């Protein structure tokens, strides 16, 4: 169940169809992290009087598109008025065979840590959009803005990790913070090398222009990639899974007997992260 | 899934524990109307910066109380900040044997219409609270205010109606409007006698003082009683059910071949209802 509030989780003039699709996708991403396959969803819309019929039509059209893509349908929900901003709440229901759900709390020291896809794209899009405005960001780095607006929930990877991942989480708060959630609930530490974190070409280009963006990449959030732990002997199975899904799955570090995550810079020093969590803009 | 917004569905200074319990209960009422037994729930809280720790503690304490009463536990959810009012969304999950869910669309003409408990208490409380303020209403009609603040979801009746009720709904929008939902989805009409509608002593007293309150009673909403249809031959089973549950279940009319609900006043004339639906205050 995830809630998105206009002005907190999205900009009031973000395209309504993309807002709808992002809302559905961030929930599907949560299901994937549990190894669950999507079954259905419930939706609550709290709308101020200023919302237009066009906005609602666009929102519905975005939902319809993603319902087709992900083979999921709306089962119910609620619609209310509000004197506040547009507030959208979605509960996605998935299923997983009994006892096979992937949890956050079951990682142990000495395991490999992996992430799917690439990290930091959405956070870098947000940096650009804040600095230069949406239009300029779209012109300069359309791939990053697209990743921010429309995450790709790893719905095929999640269920395939049952029996392989010892723990998993989807990266919404940021790689560092979400790895921290696994460390905290599992009672372990983790050591990740920044140089191993997979970047898209567009993100690598931004980072080359401003090396300080490394902090945004590991703390920015909104990636909706899966971060998971697995025993070293399962490395070949994971490599095979990446091949069969056509999705990069990259080892970025190891779990330890510590109590918190640590990201090492190329220098070998631990990165000092000013804002470890994700903040709403 | 039901959403409650401060200033729309509850008053900002309503006791937080009762707000929490009402939020859970209106959802359990929905499950009961489907014949489902509660399984678990998900909760989203969108809170403005003005909300205090005390408010949150009271809210949690109310949830804890009702979790014990109804044997249900929180499975997850979301917490976000909002620049708007407190916005609470709850998704309750229940279970019902395959094929036995009670629907709204399956009533046919010639069936009896029943309601559980008493009707109009919450609506009359709201009338008093609006007219004289909360304190005066509490002093004059505590039973009515209690019914407004803390509905009693019919969690035992709902599942017991499987195989008996041809259609059911919980009365949240008002007896007239919710009966209208059954008529609309089932493609039938309905005729109800106001004099058959069961009233509490407190409600009957208010009505005796102001006969015009009859309209509030049938349209006011927030009853969270079950309204259902059943074949005439099932009347004995329903009477037995009422006895075994210790809960009044009252026949109030019949379904017809019409297309809309009709409430007959004591005079035999159809009541003319100015505001057929329920309005947020």
């Amino acid at each position: 169940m995830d809630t998105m509030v206009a002005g907190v989780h999205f900009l009031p003039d973000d395209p309504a169809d993309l807002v709808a699709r992002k809302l559905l996708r961030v929930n599907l991403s949560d299901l994937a992290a549990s190894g669950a396959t999507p079954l259905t969803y419930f939706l609550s819309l709290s709308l101020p009087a200023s919302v237009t019929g066009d906005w609602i039509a666009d929102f519905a059209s975005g939902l319809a598109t993603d319902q087709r893509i992900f083979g999921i349908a709306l089962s119910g929900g609620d619609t209310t008025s509000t004197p506040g901003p547009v507030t959208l709440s979605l509960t996605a229901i998935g299923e997983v065979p009994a006892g096979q759900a992937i949890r956050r709390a079951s990682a142990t020291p000495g395991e490999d840590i992996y992430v799917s896809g690439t990290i930091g794209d959405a956070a870098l899009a947000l940096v650009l959009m804040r600095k230069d405005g949406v239009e300029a960001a779209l012109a300069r780095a359309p791939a990053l803005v697209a990743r921010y607006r429309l995450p790709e929930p790893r719905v095929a990877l999640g269920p395939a990790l049952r029996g392989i991942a010892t723990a998993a989480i989807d990266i919404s708060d940021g790689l560092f913070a979400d790895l921290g959630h696994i460390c905290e609930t599992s009672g372990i530490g983790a050591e990740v090398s920044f140089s191993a974190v997979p970047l898209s070409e567009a993100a690598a280009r931004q980072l080359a222009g401003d090396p300080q963006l490394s902090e945004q990449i590991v703390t920015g959030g909104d990636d909706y990639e899966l971060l998971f732990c697995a025993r070293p002997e399962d490395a070949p199975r994971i490599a095979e899974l990446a091949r069969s899904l056509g999705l990069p799955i990259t080892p970025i570090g190891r779990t330890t007997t510590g109590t918190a995550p640590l990201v090492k810079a190329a220098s070998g020093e631990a990165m000092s992260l000013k804002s470890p969590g994700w903040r709403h803009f």
Side-chain angles (χ1 to χ4, degrees), chain A:
Chain A
M1 179 179 212
D2 274 305
T3 296
M4 286 172 44
V5 180
V8 181
H9 306 85
F10 61 96
L11 300 168
D13 53 0
D14 277 351
D17 57 333
L18 294 184
V19 171
R21 298 173 73 186
K22 185 165 184 175
L23 176 66
L24 184 55
R25 287 170 179 229
V26 300
N27 278 283
L28 296 181
S29 179
D30 259 330
L31 290 182
S34 301
T37 52
L39 199 58
T40 188
Y41 71 101
F42 301 87
L43 175 65
S44 165
L45 307 178
S46 295
L47 304 177
S50 59
V51 163
T52 63
D54 278 355
W55 191 93
I56 294 170
D58 287 350
F59 186 89
S61 146
L63 279 184
T65 300
D66 269 4
Q67 287 196 165
R68 278 192 301 274
I69 292 176
F70 296 104
I72 187 173
L74 181 67
S75 279
D78 199 5
T79 313
T80 75
S81 64
T82 179
V86 170
T87 303
L88 311 164
S89 221
L90 194 148
T91 304
I93 307 292
E95 53 182 0
V96 65
Q100 293 186 41
I102 305 171
R103 303 180 179 280
R104 294 181 183 179
S106 37
T108 58
E111 295 174 354
D112 294 321
I113 301 168
Y114 293 86
V115 291
S116 64
T118 58
I119 301 298
D121 298 310
L124 296 182
L126 204 49
V127 168
L128 286 176
M129 286 160 67
R130 279 173 175 159
K131 210 176 74 181
D132 304 326
V134 174
E135 291 309 311
L138 263 172
R140 200 163 135 211
L144 298 183
V145 175
R147 286 268 295 170
Y148 170 74
R149 287 188 164 170
L150 199 58
E152 196 62 56
R154 299 308 182 185
V155 291
L157 175 60
L161 288 175
R162 292 177 202 151
I164 297 178
T166 57
I169 194 167
D170 70 318
I171 304 180
S172 56
D173 293 344
L175 186 152
F176 185 73
D178 285 312
L179 178 55
H181 294 142
I182 286 188
C183 287
E184 194 183 345
T185 56
S186 296
I188 58 168
E191 203 175 297
V192 161
S193 296
F194 180 76
S195 57
V197 173
L199 304 183
S200 68
E201 277 183 43
R205 212 157 33 232
Q206 297 297 321
L207 179 64
D210 178 1
Q212 298 213 320
L213 288 174
S214 57
E215 174 158 353
Q216 291 300 321
I217 290 169
V218 280
T219 63
D222 248 352
D223 296 297
Y224 299 103
E225 295 293 350
L226 297 186
L227 181 152
F228 64 95
C229 305
R231 286 170 295 272
E233 59 266 36
D234 280 327
R237 292 174 71 189
I238 292 163
E240 175 50 34
L241 196 55
R243 266 191 301 276
S244 70
L245 295 174
L247 173 69
I249 302 177
T250 310
I252 59 168
R254 298 291 289 270
T255 56
T256 69
T257 55
T259 58
L262 174 82
V263 181
K264 281 165 78 176
S267 64
E269 308 255 308
M271 283 173 70
S272 113
L273 300 169
K274 271 174 261 146
S275 78
W278 183 76
R279 296 214 196 111
H280 303 306
F281 59 88

